[in-house]
PDB file of all heavy atoms in Angstrom:
ATOM      1  N   LEU R 176      -7.732   8.419  13.783  1.00 98.00           N
ATOM      2  CA  LEU R 176      -6.615   7.685  14.372  1.00 98.00           C
ATOM      3  C   LEU R 176      -5.253   7.857  13.439  1.00 98.00           C
ATOM      4  O   LEU R 176      -4.237   7.529  13.965  1.00 98.00           O
ATOM      5  CB  LEU R 176      -6.870   6.146  14.408  1.00 98.00           C
ATOM      6  CG  LEU R 176      -7.758   5.718  15.545  1.00 98.00           C
ATOM      7  CD1 LEU R 176      -8.131   4.150  15.402  1.00 98.00           C
ATOM      8  CD2 LEU R 176      -7.033   5.757  16.846  1.00 98.00           C
ATOM      9  N   GLY R 177      -5.491   8.362  12.285  1.00 98.00           N
ATOM     10  CA  GLY R 177      -4.299   8.598  11.380  1.00 98.00           C
ATOM     11  C   GLY R 177      -3.964   7.342  10.570  1.00 98.00           C
ATOM     12  O   GLY R 177      -2.898   7.302   9.915  1.00 98.00           O
ATOM     13  N   ILE R 178      -4.880   6.399  10.455  1.00 98.00           N
ATOM     14  CA  ILE R 178      -4.725   5.304   9.620  1.00 98.00           C
ATOM     15  C   ILE R 178      -5.008   5.716   8.111  1.00 98.00           C
ATOM     16  O   ILE R 178      -4.247   5.255   7.184  1.00 98.00           O
ATOM     17  CB  ILE R 178      -5.686   4.101   9.993  1.00 98.00           C
ATOM     18  CG1 ILE R 178      -5.302   3.549  11.400  1.00 98.00           C
ATOM     19  CG2 ILE R 178      -5.652   2.998   9.000  1.00 98.00           C
ATOM     20  CD1 ILE R 178      -6.214   2.489  11.902  1.00 98.00           C
ATOM     21  N   VAL R 179      -5.972   6.588   7.976  1.00 98.00           N
ATOM     22  CA  VAL R 179      -6.575   6.978   6.659  1.00 98.00           C
ATOM     23  C   VAL R 179      -6.189   8.436   6.499  1.00 98.00           C
ATOM     24  O   VAL R 179      -6.276   9.255   7.374  1.00 98.00           O
ATOM     25  CB  VAL R 179      -8.071   6.769   6.599  1.00 98.00           C
ATOM     26  CG1 VAL R 179      -8.649   7.544   5.472  1.00 98.00           C
ATOM     27  CG2 VAL R 179      -8.390   5.252   6.526  1.00 98.00           C
ATOM     28  N   ASN R 180      -5.777   8.874   5.284  1.00 98.00           N
ATOM     29  CA  ASN R 180      -5.516  10.186   5.006  1.00 98.00           C
ATOM     30  C   ASN R 180      -6.782  11.079   4.739  1.00 98.00           C
ATOM     31  O   ASN R 180      -6.904  12.102   5.091  1.00 98.00           O
ATOM     32  CB  ASN R 180      -4.460  10.407   3.926  1.00 98.00           C
ATOM     33  CG  ASN R 180      -3.010  10.147   4.324  1.00 98.00           C
ATOM     34  OD1 ASN R 180      -2.839   9.505   5.377  1.00 98.00           O
ATOM     35  ND2 ASN R 180      -2.130  10.601   3.521  1.00 98.00           N
ATOM     36  N   ARG R 181      -7.612  10.383   3.864  1.00 98.00           N
ATOM     37  CA  ARG R 181      -8.849  11.169   3.448  1.00 98.00           C
ATOM     38  C   ARG R 181      -9.940  10.180   3.163  1.00 98.00           C
ATOM     39  O   ARG R 181      -9.716   8.973   2.795  1.00 98.00           O
ATOM     40  CB  ARG R 181      -8.570  11.937   2.180  1.00 98.00           C
ATOM     41  CG  ARG R 181      -7.478  12.997   2.385  1.00 98.00           C
ATOM     42  CD  ARG R 181      -7.120  13.858   1.265  1.00 98.00           C
ATOM     43  NE  ARG R 181      -8.303  14.699   0.934  1.00 98.00           N
ATOM     44  CZ  ARG R 181      -8.292  15.557  -0.215  1.00 98.00           C
ATOM     45  NH1 ARG R 181      -7.383  15.590  -1.072  1.00 98.00           N
ATOM     46  NH2 ARG R 181      -9.340  16.288  -0.371  1.00 98.00           N
ATOM     47  N   ILE R 182     -11.200  10.589   3.287  1.00 98.00           N
ATOM     48  CA  ILE R 182     -12.352   9.838   3.051  1.00 98.00           C
ATOM     49  C   ILE R 182     -13.207  10.469   1.994  1.00 98.00           C
ATOM     50  O   ILE R 182     -13.396  11.722   1.981  1.00 98.00           O
ATOM     51  CB  ILE R 182     -13.179   9.767   4.325  1.00 98.00           C
ATOM     52  CG1 ILE R 182     -12.404   9.113   5.454  1.00 98.00           C
ATOM     53  CG2 ILE R 182     -14.471   8.908   3.987  1.00 98.00           C
ATOM     54  CD1 ILE R 182     -13.096   8.263   6.261  1.00 98.00           C
ATOM     55  N   PHE R 183     -13.788   9.672   1.065  1.00 98.00           N
ATOM     56  CA  PHE R 183     -14.585  10.140  -0.041  1.00 98.00           C
ATOM     57  C   PHE R 183     -15.846   9.297  -0.159  1.00 98.00           C
ATOM     58  O   PHE R 183     -15.858   8.111   0.150  1.00 98.00           O
ATOM     59  CB  PHE R 183     -13.803  10.087  -1.352  1.00 98.00           C
ATOM     60  CG  PHE R 183     -12.599  10.955  -1.281  1.00 98.00           C
ATOM     61  CD1 PHE R 183     -11.365  10.269  -1.113  1.00 98.00           C
ATOM     62  CD2 PHE R 183     -12.588  12.341  -1.584  1.00 98.00           C
ATOM     63  CE1 PHE R 183     -10.187  11.048  -1.128  1.00 98.00           C
ATOM     64  CE2 PHE R 183     -11.526  13.024  -1.564  1.00 98.00           C
ATOM     65  CZ  PHE R 183     -10.230  12.454  -1.379  1.00 98.00           C
ATOM     66  N   PRO R 184     -16.875   9.828  -0.797  1.00 97.00           N
ATOM     67  CA  PRO R 184     -18.021   8.995  -1.085  1.00 97.00           C
ATOM     68  C   PRO R 184     -17.641   7.850  -1.966  1.00 97.00           C
ATOM     69  O   PRO R 184     -16.740   8.019  -2.836  1.00 97.00           O
ATOM     70  CB  PRO R 184     -19.002   9.888  -1.821  1.00 97.00           C
ATOM     71  CG  PRO R 184     -18.587  11.288  -1.456  1.00 97.00           C
ATOM     72  CD  PRO R 184     -17.149  11.283  -1.150  1.00 97.00           C
ATOM     73  N   GLN R 185     -18.115   6.623  -1.777  1.00 96.00           N
ATOM     74  CA  GLN R 185     -17.639   5.487  -2.546  1.00 96.00           C
ATOM     75  C   GLN R 185     -17.654   5.728  -4.080  1.00 96.00           C
ATOM     76  O   GLN R 185     -16.637   5.374  -4.695  1.00 96.00           O
ATOM     77  CB  GLN R 185     -18.518   4.241  -2.222  1.00 96.00           C
ATOM     78  CG  GLN R 185     -17.888   3.068  -2.892  1.00 96.00           C
ATOM     79  CD  GLN R 185     -18.334   1.733  -2.534  1.00 96.00           C
ATOM     80  OE1 GLN R 185     -19.572   1.464  -2.404  1.00 96.00           O
ATOM     81  NE2 GLN R 185     -17.415   0.739  -2.256  1.00 96.00           N
ATOM     82  N   ALA R 186     -18.680   6.400  -4.583  1.00 96.00           N
ATOM     83  CA  ALA R 186     -18.678   6.684  -6.057  1.00 96.00           C
ATOM     84  C   ALA R 186     -17.581   7.449  -6.511  1.00 96.00           C
ATOM     85  O   ALA R 186     -17.189   7.303  -7.645  1.00 96.00           O
ATOM     86  CB  ALA R 186     -19.904   7.306  -6.390  1.00 96.00           C
ATOM     87  N   SER R 187     -16.926   8.297  -5.781  1.00 97.00           N
ATOM     88  CA  SER R 187     -15.895   9.145  -6.177  1.00 97.00           C
ATOM     89  C   SER R 187     -14.526   8.713  -5.687  1.00 97.00           C
ATOM     90  O   SER R 187     -13.541   9.501  -5.994  1.00 97.00           O
ATOM     91  CB  SER R 187     -16.232  10.629  -5.841  1.00 97.00           C
ATOM     92  OG  SER R 187     -16.298  10.791  -4.449  1.00 97.00           O
ATOM     93  N   LEU R 188     -14.457   7.712  -4.955  1.00 98.00           N
ATOM     94  CA  LEU R 188     -13.026   7.253  -4.279  1.00 98.00           C
ATOM     95  C   LEU R 188     -11.978   7.053  -5.447  1.00 98.00           C
ATOM     96  O   LEU R 188     -10.990   7.736  -5.363  1.00 98.00           O
ATOM     97  CB  LEU R 188     -13.298   5.940  -3.592  1.00 98.00           C
ATOM     98  CG  LEU R 188     -12.018   5.352  -3.063  1.00 98.00           C
ATOM     99  CD1 LEU R 188     -11.349   6.300  -1.970  1.00 98.00           C
ATOM    100  CD2 LEU R 188     -12.083   4.011  -2.462  1.00 98.00           C
ATOM    101  N   MET R 189     -12.360   6.335  -6.471  1.00 98.00           N
ATOM    102  CA  MET R 189     -11.242   5.983  -7.477  1.00 98.00           C
ATOM    103  C   MET R 189     -10.851   7.274  -8.188  1.00 98.00           C
ATOM    104  O   MET R 189      -9.687   7.474  -8.521  1.00 98.00           O
ATOM    105  CB  MET R 189     -11.677   4.881  -8.498  1.00 98.00           C
ATOM    106  CG  MET R 189     -11.508   3.571  -7.941  1.00 98.00           C
ATOM    107  SD  MET R 189      -9.790   3.245  -7.217  1.00 98.00           S
ATOM    108  CE  MET R 189      -8.841   2.827  -8.729  1.00 98.00           C
TER     109      MET R 189
END
Side-chain angles (χ1 to χ4, degrees):
L176 283 171
I178 294 174
V179 165
N180 281 20
R181 299 181 69 183
I182 303 215
F183 300 99
Q185 182 164 53
S187 58
L188 174 69
M189 274 315 274

